[in-house]
Amino acid sequence: MPLISRNPSVRTMASVLALLLGAMGCADAADGLTGPDWRRVMPDMGDWHEIDVNSLVPHEGGWAAWTKSPSREVDMPEGMALAPGGSVRVRMHVECGQHSVAVRFLEARFLAADGQLVQATTFGDPDTDGFPSPGAVSYKQNAIPMICAAAAARCEGDALEWPLPTDDPRFVPTCKAF
């Protein structure tokens, strides 16, 4: 039995389906719709804070996205330390206001230098009391406002432009969903 049908309408339908799946980014389902797209907050600073702009989704009246950064003592829960080269991935919820961003952490993953998961937690669990909580953050060049800028750009159908000047209205998304 041939792998491709000899019937022209079946071949056309299969071609259209393949084009649609490719256009929707479903060609590699293991990586999600399009896979991660990590963007550095400070491009000239090497391995520093980044956000995955493809992980950005509407969440509880705001937005959620994954961030990553090298491990620093200030980011660690009480009693935890990672060897040099480790990293922290945090999924955070942001509500982008006119002058500041309300932030709360949703999940955290602590990775060793070789990428192995050391610890994962969901915020709100009893063992997360020792984690830092940012609260409200002003607009400046860091991962949290970059999430707002990415959401605002996507609301307008534009690509993320970064860095933006501080107090730029493009930090505030004009939509609640994509």
Side-chain angles (χ1 to χ4, degrees):
M1 175 176 226
L3 292 175
I4 299 175
S5 173
R6 294 179 198 269
N7 182 330
S9 63
V10 171
R11 282 198 320 256
T12 301
M13 206 166 35
S15 296
V16 169
L17 183 58
L19 285 171
L20 285 173
L21 289 175
M24 291 171 36
C26 296
D28 187 2
D31 287 337
L33 290 178
T34 57
D37 182 2
W38 292 103
R39 303 282 183 94
R40 283 196 178 130
V41 175
M42 302 291 270
D44 298 338
M45 296 216 26
D47 188 22
W48 192 238
H49 293 280
E50 298 177 68
I51 71 162
D52 175 8
V53 294
N54 284 346
S55 71
L56 181 66
V57 293
H59 183 265
E60 297 177 1
W63 306 93
W66 280 99
T67 67
K68 71 178 176 179
S69 63
S71 62
R72 301 175 309 160
E73 188 175 327
V74 70
D75 298 324
M76 299 291 125
E78 292 176 16
M80 183 182 174
L82 284 177
S87 64
V88 179
R89 299 214 177 161
V90 177
R91 184 169 177 255
M92 54 180 70
H93 169 91
V94 299
E95 292 180 21
C96 310
Q98 192 64 36
H99 301 288
S100 65
V101 185
V103 182
R104 68 184 159 91
F105 295 143
L106 301 173
E107 300 175 54
R109 296 178 185 161
F110 299 90
L111 306 171
D114 63 0
Q116 294 295 313
L117 181 65
V118 173
Q119 181 179 340
T121 191
T122 301
F123 291 95
D125 290 348
D127 64 340
T128 60
D129 292 340
F131 283 89
S133 178
V137 175
S138 66
Y139 285 117
K140 56 183 178 179
Q141 305 301 335
N142 69 45
I144 296 166
M146 190 176 185
I147 294 169
C148 292
R154 197 170 296 166
C155 283
E156 299 299 320
D158 295 332
L160 172 64
E161 175 188 332
W162 191 260
L164 291 175
T166 56
D167 297 327
D168 190 306
R170 291 178 291 168
F171 280 120
V172 183
T174 58
C175 65
K176 292 290 184 185
F178 306 126

